[in-house]
Structures are given as C-alpha cells and as structure tokens.
Amino acid sequence: MVSQITRGIKISVLTTFEGTYFKNHKIHFAFSYEITIENHSKDSVQLTSRHWEIYDSLNEVELVDGEGVIGKKPVLKPGEIHTYNSGCLLASPFGAMRGYFNMINFTTTKNFKVIVPSFRLSAPFALN
C-alpha cells in the first residue's frame, strides 16, 4: 500500500492483480485498486474530479480525466473516510498509475489538488 497526504487529505492505494483474459485476439492484464480518502483537515471538502496517468510498459501513457470517482462526488467532513474500488486493463503485466483529485474546501471555497501517489501494477507471476 502507498499513501500520501496533501493539505490534510490522506490518499492510500492498495492494488490487486485480477487475472488475464483474451479480447479481440489480444491478452489483457486486469488490475483493481482500492482508494481510501481520509480527511485529516479541519474543513469539509468535496472531491469534484480526477486526473489519471496510466503507464503500461508496452504502450504509451493513457490520460484519463473525469467528474468525481465512479459516478460520485463525495463530501468528507473532518475525520471522515471515503473508500472506492476501480480498475484498469493493461497490455502488459507491468504498469503504474498516478494522478490527482480536484477538491473544493467548503470553508475557504478554494479549489485545490490532492496528489494520488504513484502506484505499481504488476502481475505476481511476472516478477523476478
């Protein structure tokens, strides 16, 4: 698990290799990840959007931007935690992801970015 705190918001990431499958005559490597967002600040905040950089050892970097996370824009009061699960497909057994969440502080009404630390995606059978 990797973790990082930005402006009192702690992001932790846990990854799992889910397996391989064939689609369109190509093998794909499926990974899931669990993101935990903890509000250690004194203010209520809301996650409004996300930005991901997905690195696949056999492909170019894929950039993904979108509203909220899995269709939600969670509000976290001080001390609250939000956890969600998602996933991605790679063309190789190795990769990584990193990014950030855009958030708004309800006390100051200011937008800010919370860094999601880089996390590795690696199939256990491919490790040496």
Side-chain angles (χ1 to χ4, degrees):
M1 178 182 301
V2 297
S3 298
Q4 184 166 335
I5 298 175
T6 307
R7 293 189 173 190
I9 309 300
K10 182 179 180 181
I11 306 295
S12 301
V13 185
L14 182 64
T15 62
T16 304
F17 173 66
E18 298 294 342
T20 59
Y21 71 96
F22 283 92
K23 180 180 177 185
N24 298 330
H25 307 290
K26 292 182 182 177
I27 192 167
H28 295 338
F29 299 84
F31 296 90
S32 66
Y33 53 89
E34 179 181 85
I35 305 273
T36 301
I37 306 165
E38 300 177 50
N39 186 354
H40 293 282
S41 77
K42 60 180 177 45
D43 301 319
S44 293
V45 298
Q46 182 176 25
L47 189 155
T48 58
S49 63
R50 70 191 182 285
H51 170 81
W52 288 118
E53 298 170 11
I54 304 169
Y55 298 86
D56 186 325
S57 64
L58 294 179
N59 286 325
E60 306 235 346
V61 176
E62 179 182 359
L63 302 177
V64 177
D65 292 286
E67 294 288 313
V69 288
I70 59 166
K72 297 180 182 176
K73 294 182 179 181
V75 173
L76 288 91
K77 295 177 183 168
E80 288 188 336
I81 296 172
H82 178 78
T83 300
Y84 76 93
N85 293 286
S86 191
C88 70
L89 297 174
L90 300 181
S92 73
F94 297 109
M97 289 178 63
R98 70 177 180 187
Y100 58 85
F101 297 132
N102 288 307
M103 302 188 93
I104 186 166
N105 179 313
F106 286 149
T107 302
T108 65
T109 67
K110 294 193 187 275
N111 293 307
F112 64 102
K113 289 182 182 177
V114 173
I115 301 300
V116 178
S118 180
F119 55 95
R120 295 186 344 171
L121 304 167
S122 38
F125 63 83
L127 299 177
N128 48 350

